[in-house]
Amino acid sequence: LGLAAPARMSSSGWGVLELVRRDLADPKLPGSFSLVGAQHVVGRVGDVFVIPVQQLSRRHCVIRRDDGATVTLEDTSQNGTWVNDARLAKGVPRRLEDGDEICVHKKEGVRVVCYKFLLLRRANKKSSDGGGGNKLTEVMADTVKRQKEELVKERKKTADAKARAEKAEKQKIEAEYRAADCASSLAKAQMALTAGGAGLLALESDME
């Protein structure tokens, strides 16, 4: 499965959500979301930041930014929202910091749909000051690099699991062959024992 490249974000926004982990069974997840207004709803359907994963609620969580530039995340879902592996209390806003990882879906405790929250005002300031280069482009490149690394890891895990399954199947077949050989040897021994017993009886009869 190839990772979808993140959408190109406008530098007019104040932040961005960048995809860092995803369920490989659903490769069509948005690569990124631009944060521009004061409130953004993340959910499964509707006029929101849409993440098409069945386990998400229609209005899964809400990102808000107040006049003082404080950014908060509120869980409004049925199945939970996590920030840096800590599950949020439903309905209780939690302050977001630059670089926090937001997960909206976990499968058996493993993070599978996660986005990194990034503030862009620092990047824009560096660019306007002539220092730091185009930080936003660097962020996008780093995200694609991380996604590729995650994909390589997942493919390696899949290949390792397949190799272990094939080895187990081979061992099972070899065990069945050994069991069949043992059964055959036992049958031959029983036949020999029966034949030997019959011969002994015949000998005793002749001696009488």
Side-chain angles (χ1 to χ4, degrees):
L1 296 175
L3 281 163
R8 188 178 296 278
M9 295 290 106
S10 169
S11 59
S12 62
W14 52 265
V16 64
L17 297 181
E18 290 288 349
L19 180 66
V20 291
R21 299 175 188 271
R22 71 136 188 247
D23 187 348
L24 294 181
D26 191 350
K28 297 180 181 179
L29 298 178
S32 57
F33 295 108
S34 181
L35 303 171
V36 180
Q39 176 173 302
H40 299 276
V41 178
V42 178
R44 189 178 73 251
V45 294
D47 186 19
V48 294
F49 285 175
V50 178
I51 301 176
V53 175
Q54 188 62 34
Q55 290 79 1
L56 267 65
S57 299
R58 295 173 65 89
R59 292 172 60 88
H60 195 88
C61 58
V62 182
I63 297 173
R64 298 185 179 92
R65 182 175 185 261
D66 64 19
D67 294 338
T70 298
V71 182
T72 60
L73 175 68
E74 179 183 348
D75 174 45
T76 55
S77 71
Q78 294 297 320
N79 294 328
T81 303
W82 293 259
V83 174
N84 302 330
D85 273 342
R87 183 165 183 165
L88 303 186
K90 187 173 181 178
V92 180
R94 194 261 200 202
R95 181 168 180 167
L96 286 179
E97 302 292 344
D98 188 24
D100 281 347
E101 186 172 280
I102 302 169
C103 292
V104 292
H105 174 41
K106 285 191 175 186
K107 184 184 295 183
E108 297 178 352
V110 179
R111 297 172 291 176
V112 291
V113 179
C114 302
Y115 287 80
K116 185 173 288 292
F117 167 67
L118 300 169
L119 288 171
L120 298 184
R121 62 175 184 271
R122 297 174 184 171
N124 293 339
K125 184 177 185 303
K126 287 183 180 180
S127 179
S128 62
D129 291 344
N134 190 336
K135 185 65 176 178
L136 182 57
T137 301
E138 293 177 6
V139 168
M140 297 295 186
D142 288 343
T143 299
V144 173
K145 181 180 178 182
R146 287 195 301 271
Q147 291 174 343
K148 288 181 177 178
E149 290 173 349
E150 289 288 337
L151 182 59
V152 169
K153 290 179 182 178
E154 290 296 332
R155 285 178 172 172
K156 186 176 185 302
K157 288 180 182 178
T158 301
D160 290 344
K162 182 179 179 181
R164 288 194 297 269
E166 290 176 347
K167 182 178 180 181
E169 182 64 21
K170 182 179 178 182
Q171 291 174 339
K172 178 182 177 182
I173 292 173
E174 290 175 347
E176 290 175 351
Y177 278 134
R178 287 194 296 270
D181 288 343
C182 288
S184 177
S185 298
L186 181 60
K188 289 179 181 179
Q190 289 176 336
M191 291 177 62
L193 183 60
T194 300
L200 182 59
L201 290 173
L203 180 59
E204 291 176 348
S205 176
D206 290 342
M207 291 176 65
E208 292 176 355

